[in-house]
Amino acid sequence: MTIFMTLKEAISSTVKDGDSVALEGFTHLIPFAAGHEIIRQKRRNLTLIRMTPDLIYDQLIGAGCANKLIFSWGGNPGVGSLHRVRDAIEHAYPCALETVEHSHAAMANAYETGAAGLPLAVFRGYVGSELPLVNKDIASITCPFTGEKLAAIPSIKPDVGIIHAQKADKEGNVLIEGIIGIQKEVVLSAKRSIVTVEEIVDNLNVTPNACVLPAWAINAIAVVPGGAKPSYALGYYDRDNSYYKQWDAISRDRESFNQWLSSHVFTQGGV
């Protein structure tokens, strides 16, 4: 049953220390506001899951929220490295970070099978890759019908799935427009889910190339206008490219990052 609440209430009631948490959004609709609320509530020992961990995971890891990262690519898109992630991996600051690396295809399949309630994902992949040498969660399976050797990894079933979307109606159904990415599968695979939205409307007015998540699949909805900034929300605001460029300098230095946390996250009360 979907419950409408504030973002502060949604994170407090849904995300617990030690949880596995997936905050997904592909290029746009990245749930930055939800990530910042997790930082404000000082969650610890999280396993963070994301196909493309970028700035929001740099911020969460730099704030000491996570001790494990499951991912398939990491970086500041178009700019460079994630310096807080690197500091955690290389120097255990502010805490040690375990990493589990997959390919995009592997994680997409793992989310899909998690949403379907299956225990593993089977696909063609990792041929010639060295990842199986360093990732114990990559195995192989032989097709019982053709004898073909296929890759297999555990399904992704996070404790909490968090996404941002454009709209929800008053019954709790959610509309995602534009680049869909893996958001639907994240919500359906997670034990508990939070969706932040730009607004509540009477009717969703579904357009082509859109996804509607039914209310029964969502635990909490919070209205957070601008909740995806600095990424973009189709039909609402553009990507703030200057933010991504400025982040490189902010995140390189521990002191400047901690000052940023103090002035841009902890001074905000949440919504």
Side-chain angles (χ1 to χ4, degrees):
M1 177 180 177
T2 302
I3 300 175
F4 292 90
M5 57 182 72
T6 66
L7 179 57
K8 184 176 182 179
E9 292 168 338
I11 297 299
S12 177
S13 63
T14 307
V15 181
K16 307 301 180 184
D17 288 352
D19 276 348
S20 58
V21 184
L23 294 90
E24 286 285 1
F26 188 72
T27 303
H28 80 145
L29 298 177
I30 299 171
F32 273 88
H36 292 167
E37 185 59 34
I38 291 172
I39 294 173
R40 276 191 289 273
Q41 296 193 20
K42 298 184 178 180
R43 292 294 181 264
R44 293 294 182 264
N45 301 318
L46 300 178
T47 294
L48 294 178
I49 307 167
R50 182 168 163 77
M51 288 181 66
T52 56
D54 51 9
L55 272 57
I56 188 56
Y57 274 29
D58 209 29
Q59 295 163 4
L60 282 158
I61 290 166
C65 295
N67 59 11
K68 184 174 182 179
L69 173 65
I70 300 173
F71 73 110
S72 56
W73 176 89
N76 182 343
V79 179
S81 293
L82 297 176
H83 301 294
R84 293 302 88 220
V85 172
R86 289 192 63 161
D87 207 5
I89 294 171
E90 296 175 358
H91 305 110
Y93 180 87
C95 57
L97 182 70
E98 176 188 355
T99 60
V100 179
E101 185 177 357
H102 283 291
S103 68
H104 279 348
M107 290 195 68
N109 276 280
Y111 274 127
E112 182 107 20
T113 53
L118 297 171
L120 79 165
V122 179
F123 56 98
R124 291 189 178 94
Y126 292 126
V127 176
S129 169
E130 294 182 348
L131 277 178
L133 301 177
V134 296
N135 185 345
K136 63 180 177 57
D137 288 336
I138 299 173
S140 62
I141 191 170
T142 301
C143 175
F145 304 106
T146 66
E148 182 181 4
K149 185 178 179 180
L150 300 168
I153 67 169
S155 295
I156 296 177
K157 299 178 180 179
D159 293 315
V160 185
I162 302 175
I163 66 169
H164 186 75
Q166 282 95 344
K167 303 172 185 177
D169 64 20
K170 294 178 180 179
E171 284 70 48
N173 302 299
V174 168
L175 175 66
I176 308 171
E177 295 180 291
I179 301 173
I180 302 299
I182 206 72
Q183 289 98 310
K184 175 184 70 174
E185 288 78 6
V186 168
V187 170
L188 294 177
S189 65
K191 295 176 184 175
R192 305 181 296 279
S193 60
I194 300 171
V195 181
T196 57
V197 296
E198 293 293 324
E199 62 176 331
I200 302 295
V201 297
D202 292 327
N203 298 295
L204 292 180
N205 295 321
V206 179
T207 59
N209 191 32
C211 173
V212 175
L213 285 169
W216 57 260
I218 302 165
N219 295 99
I221 293 176
V223 180
V224 187
K229 292 182 177 180
S231 73
Y232 74 96
L234 182 69
Y236 289 81
Y237 44 85
D238 296 330
R239 187 180 193 266
D240 183 357
N241 292 321
S242 64
Y243 186 109
Y244 288 80
K245 294 178 181 178
Q246 293 166 11
W247 183 251
D248 187 70
I250 293 168
S251 62
R252 279 181 181 272
D253 179 76
R254 294 176 184 178
E255 183 178 352
S256 63
F257 170 73
N258 288 325
Q259 289 175 349
W260 177 88
L261 276 182
S262 177
S263 61
H264 289 80
V265 177
F266 286 114
T267 59
Q268 306 299 315
V271 290

